[in-house]
Amino acid sequence: RPIDLAERRAARGDSGVERGLATEGLVLRAQRGDLAAWSRLYQLHFDAIFRHVCYLTGDGVLTEDLVQEAFARAMTSAASYDGRSSFVTWLRGIALNVVRMHWRRARTTDRVRGDLRRLQSVAPGAGTPDQAHVQDRRMQVVYEILDTLPGTLREAFVLRELEGLPTAEAAEQLGISPGNLAVRATRARQRIRTELGRRGWLDAGGAP
């Protein structure tokens, strides 16, 4: 389904506290083998994990498969969740590992994601269809460039700049310090800007 960049803000709206409280009780039940509780956790957090994976891959169709795999892995390892981070952060970590495994498989089989589907992250109020198409194509180019970056830079840029996670949360997700995250995101942004300029995709302000 279409991914709206504004949705990442709505997902952290005024229902966040209630969702967190509901999640705590559901997790305890799920860890005891309550499938109904796990089903509810899936319903509560599917959209957040789908957005997370879609930002990482840039491919909505692929995302469907990877999200299902991530939730399957989470269900089989629910007992390992210890509450040191939020449940959704724990789920995002599992999803990130699933995406990393996909990337490794893709490299091993020499698969190149040059056949990216139309990216589903057109900003709201993009204007005319032509403007939306240009923005859509621009984001596709960004993902093509991201494919060429080292995984450490790509992940930092996606989590911080595209998905918009807070610095502390993104750093925790990657197991690095906030300072290291900032360095990686900055290096990625510089390399993307340079390549966008080379391809003629920078706007007047020079921002990617």
Side-chain angles (χ1 to χ4, degrees), residues 85 92 102 117 140 145 147 206:
S85 62
R92 285 195 184 108
H102 163 74
R117 280 81 169 177
Q140 186 173 348
I145 296 170
D147 269 343

Side-chain angles (χ1 to χ4, degrees), residues 24 65 103 160 168 174:
E24 290 179 10
D65 293 335
W103 283 334
R160 188 68 188 94
L174 298 176

Side-chain angles (χ1 to χ4, degrees), residues 110-204:
D110 292 323
R111 287 175 55 195
V112 178
R113 287 183 290 137
D115 62 344
L116 285 171
R117 280 81 169 177
R118 252 181 116 251
L119 279 181
Q120 301 168 347
S121 55
V122 178
T128 68
D130 283 347
Q131 289 173 322
H133 174 73
V134 169
Q135 183 172 354
D136 195 43
R137 174 57 187 152
R138 180 190 176 99
M139 284 302 299
Q140 186 173 348
V141 170
V142 168
Y143 271 93
E144 290 172 355
I145 296 170
L146 281 169
D147 269 343
T148 70
L149 298 184
T152 53
L153 301 188
R154 175 173 53 201
E155 291 168 0
F157 181 84
V158 170
L159 296 188
R160 188 68 188 94
E161 305 296 335
L162 296 185
E163 191 172 1
L165 291 182
T167 299
E169 184 176 346
E172 179 185 358
Q173 195 84 92
L174 298 176
I176 59 178
S177 70
N180 283 341
L181 175 74
V183 169
R184 292 181 186 184
T186 297
R187 288 176 179 171
R189 189 164 51 247
Q190 291 170 341
R191 291 174 67 164
I192 291 170
R193 182 182 292 116
T194 297
E195 185 62 18
L196 284 173
R198 189 185 70 80
R199 299 188 187 195
W201 278 95
L202 281 183
D203 58 25

Side-chain angles (χ1 to χ4, degrees), residues 3-12 51 55 121-124 162:
I3 300 299
D4 191 323
L5 291 177
E7 287 182 1
R8 70 190 183 204
R9 300 182 182 89
R12 305 189 185 105
R51 280 191 297 272
Y55 277 115
S121 55
V122 178
L162 296 185

Side-chain angles (χ1 to χ4, degrees), residues 41-50 64 67-68 71:
L41 287 169
Y42 178 90
Q43 293 169 356
L44 282 172
H45 299 294
F46 177 86
D47 285 352
I49 302 307
F50 186 95
E64 291 279 359
V67 169
Q68 294 302 326
F71 271 101

